[in-house]
Amino acid sequence: MQAIMRSDDHHREKHQRILEMIKRDTIRTVFFGDSLMRRWEEHPLLWQRFFSRFEPANCGVGADRLEHMKWRLLNGELEGVEAETVLFLGGTNNLVDQDPATIAAGIKELVSIIKEKLPSARIILLGLFPRSPDASLRSFSHQVRAVNEELSAWAEEHSIIFADLSALLSPDGERLDGELSDDGLHLNGRGYERIGPTLVRLIEG
């Protein structure tokens, strides 16, 4: 998978903030991913309630695809970090134009890079979240299930902790619970409150 740098302001500004944060803060727990990670920042009270005792760092960037995350990993975002735990969530933005095998391979590559950079850290790989059909009524449920099945088997073989939170987020496995998302893709505050206790248990081990 090619590493691709985004040139938009959001990506450049967040990348710079992450670099500054890892130099400044003591970090024991890294949350790495796309907007589904980044949007914890919009719910600071929940973030504080669930994760403050783990000395967390949010390295999520909105709209990032896997190739953009690879660029960030190769350009300093974990340099000098001595985290005990890394939670990874990414790949939903690749669903629109890539098949499950390609997406799963990309996620495996990124997790392997993280493992190489932080060999002593526990890595928690979160499965793709369910998402509702898009404006053209295209469903992503089959792709999500296929990617998660592939990742689950791979993680077990490579001492990676895999967690599929789909049952918490979807009543039928086909779409996000409407009470937990305002757009069928991203979680709202109720969605983050729903998954928070499970993430805490995973971090605690």
Side-chain angles (χ1 to χ4, degrees):
M1 177 176 60
Q2 182 181 4
I4 298 177
M5 177 185 177
R6 285 169 51 188
S7 59
D8 57 280
D9 289 343
H10 169 68
H11 187 271
R12 290 189 291 107
E13 291 170 3
K14 187 63 190 289
H15 176 61
Q16 188 59 40
R17 293 210 320 263
I18 291 171
L19 295 180
E20 294 169 358
M21 175 176 59
I22 65 175
K23 291 179 181 178
R24 178 187 68 237
D25 297 344
T26 299
I27 298 169
R28 288 197 295 123
T29 307
V30 173
F31 290 71
F32 197 95
D34 51 30
S35 58
L36 289 165
M37 282 298 198
R38 186 204 68 78
R39 287 186 179 219
W40 278 105
E41 294 177 339
E42 298 177 10
H43 307 281
L45 295 181
L46 293 176
W47 177 263
Q48 177 76 10
R49 186 213 304 178
F50 291 126
F51 309 124
S52 60
R53 66 186 181 276
F54 302 118
E55 295 180 293
N58 191 325
C59 298
V61 177
D64 250 15
R65 292 167 58 96
L66 297 174
E67 52 267 37
H68 306 136
M69 295 180 208
K70 182 177 181 180
W71 184 89
R72 293 197 285 126
L73 286 172
L74 298 179
N75 284 273
E77 290 200 7
L78 292 183
E79 299 304 320
V81 175
E82 298 182 359
E84 299 170 2
T85 305
V86 179
L87 294 91
F88 179 88
L89 174 61
T92 195
N93 293 318
N94 293 73
L95 288 169
V96 295
D97 59 4
Q98 290 183 345
D99 61 82
T102 301
I103 295 169
I107 293 171
K108 293 176 192 178
E109 182 180 356
L110 296 186
V111 171
S112 297
I113 292 172
I114 294 171
K115 195 171 184 179
E116 180 179 342
K117 289 183 174 294
L118 301 175
S120 63
R122 295 170 63 248
I123 300 177
I124 299 170
L125 172 58
L126 300 180
L128 296 185
F129 289 178
R131 53 187 288 180
S132 300
D134 62 16
S136 64
L137 301 182
R138 177 184 175 184
S139 173
F140 298 94
S141 58
H142 172 74
Q143 291 169 276
V144 168
R145 284 195 296 270
V147 171
N148 288 348
E149 288 172 2
E150 173 68 20
L151 293 177
S152 178
W154 175 81
E156 186 173 358
E157 296 173 359
H158 292 80
S159 301
I160 305 295
I161 300 164
F162 178 76
D164 184 353
L165 307 186
S166 297
L168 294 175
L169 297 171
S170 173
D172 58 7
E174 299 296 321
R175 63 186 65 238
L176 271 177
D177 186 328
E179 293 187 357
L180 307 179
S181 174
D182 299 326
D183 62 4
L185 172 60
H186 300 98
L187 302 183
N188 57 27
R190 291 182 295 275
Y192 285 110
E193 191 165 22
R194 174 73 61 85
I195 67 173
T198 298
L199 296 183
V200 168
R201 288 193 293 271
L202 289 166
I203 294 169
E204 289 177 335

